[in-house]
Amino acid sequence: MNILIVDDEYLEIEQLRYLILGKYPLWNIFAAEDGVSAWKVTEEESIQLAFIDIRLPGEDGLKLSERLKEKQGGIEIVIVSAHQDFSYAKRAIQAEVLDYLVKPVIEQELFTVIEKYLQENKHVVAKSAHIHYVIKQIESRFSEKLSLQEIADEIPVSASYLSHLFSEEIGATFQEYLLTYRIHQAKKLITGQAGWSMSRIAEGAGFSSQHHFSNIFKKIEGMTPSRYKEKNKK
């Protein structure tokens, strides 16, 4: 799924990117600092869901939202604002946006909005109940030894059928999705559990060894876990 974040504050973009990819690691996140940049993104990419700051340089977020909805009929907009002002909320309703979030964005509120979108647009991520089940198992059991065969037996369907269906609907293999999800969980542990060793983080994220964890982390993030920890020291 393609997500667009429009905000003139870099840290706000990065916070949303971090939260969204932590739960949905294979989604594509596009960012823009103003309406002109956002428009350029939609010229090249089909965006399903956009988070747009209400106060932007030049054109404000609500006017941009209206233009984007006219241009791309299927796009849904979530307005993000640092102001709990009823007049903004009223304009957002008039613009027929999906929802309205107040900064600083709270993780649970963000995911409630995303779940609302997914419930109304189930075709976007997974067309079938089987794949929804697989993803839920990954999210709840990523730290365990987990195989597609085991999940297939639980449904029950054949593993080969489930593997094909997963790749077709998600655009990645089960193993690719699982590893990417584990790496994003590991990143949360690295920044949130400063006292943990890398071997403990590897185990907590579901990797069989620190060596395997380091190799996969470097492949996906382009740096070692230690380097990532150094760059994200609080």
Side-chain angles (χ1 to χ4, degrees):
M1 189 160 102
N2 291 340
I3 304 289
L4 174 62
I5 303 171
V6 188
D7 200 306
D8 61 345
E9 295 182 36
Y10 172 77
L11 291 179
E12 296 290 344
I13 291 175
E14 288 305 300
Q15 181 206 15
L16 284 180
R17 188 198 305 272
Y18 177 79
L19 291 174
I20 293 169
L21 289 179
K23 189 172 178 65
Y24 305 101
L26 293 182
W27 285 8
N28 301 309
I29 307 290
F30 299 92
E33 296 181 356
D34 54 35
V36 173
S37 302
W39 194 261
K40 287 181 180 177
V41 171
T42 60
E43 290 285 333
E44 300 175 0
E45 305 290 342
S46 176
I47 301 297
Q48 284 79 49
L49 181 61
F51 294 86
I52 301 178
D53 186 18
I54 207 164
R55 288 193 173 181
L56 295 171
E59 182 180 39
D60 75 38
L62 286 170
K63 288 181 180 177
L64 173 63
S65 299
E66 290 169 355
R67 287 207 301 134
L68 289 179
K69 287 179 77 69
E70 286 177 7
K71 177 188 179 186
Q72 217 177 86
I75 192 172
E76 290 284 4
I77 309 288
V78 177
I79 290 294
V80 183
S81 174
H83 305 278
Q84 290 180 315
D85 189 317
F86 177 72
S87 65
Y88 285 140
K90 184 178 179 181
R91 286 180 62 200
I93 292 169
Q94 291 171 341
E96 297 183 343
V97 302
L98 177 69
D99 219 314
Y100 185 99
L101 290 173
V102 176
K103 294 180 180 179
V105 175
I106 297 171
E107 183 175 358
Q108 186 54 53
E109 292 180 357
L110 170 66
F111 291 136
T112 296
V113 169
I114 292 176
E115 286 298 323
K116 175 182 176 181
Y117 171 81
L118 293 177
Q119 285 300 315
E120 295 176 3
N121 300 270
K122 292 182 178 180
H123 63 284
V124 172
V125 177
K127 299 181 181 70
S128 69
H130 289 344
I131 302 308
H132 278 292
Y133 181 80
V134 175
I135 290 172
K136 287 293 184 185
Q137 296 312 303
I138 290 173
E139 291 176 356
S140 62
R141 297 160 59 187
F142 67 89
S143 62
E144 307 170 14
K145 186 177 180 181
L146 190 62
S147 70
L148 188 62
Q149 180 67 63
E150 180 182 357
I151 297 174
D153 290 344
E154 292 170 4
I155 291 176
V157 294
S158 75
S160 59
Y161 165 76
L162 194 59
S163 175
H164 174 76
L165 190 63
F166 192 94
S167 297
E168 184 179 76
E169 294 190 15
I170 302 302
T173 67
F174 168 80
Q175 194 64 20
E176 288 169 343
Y177 189 97
L178 176 60
L179 288 175
T180 304
Y181 191 83
R182 281 173 169 166
I183 289 299
H184 281 285
Q185 295 303 315
K187 287 164 65 178
K188 287 185 178 180
L189 292 175
I190 289 171
T191 56
Q193 303 292 341
W196 283 23
S197 66
M198 284 302 167
S199 60
R200 186 176 180 185
I201 288 170
E203 182 181 354
F207 289 91
S208 57
S209 71
Q210 184 180 340
H211 178 71
H212 183 223
F213 165 59
S214 296
N215 284 342
I216 298 298
F217 193 101
K218 188 172 182 180
K219 181 178 179 181
I220 292 176
E221 297 297 325
M223 66 182 78
T224 64
S226 299
R227 175 61 180 151
Y228 180 84
K229 183 176 183 178
E230 186 66 27
K231 285 186 66 177
N232 289 275
K233 276 187 177 178
K234 295 180 179 178

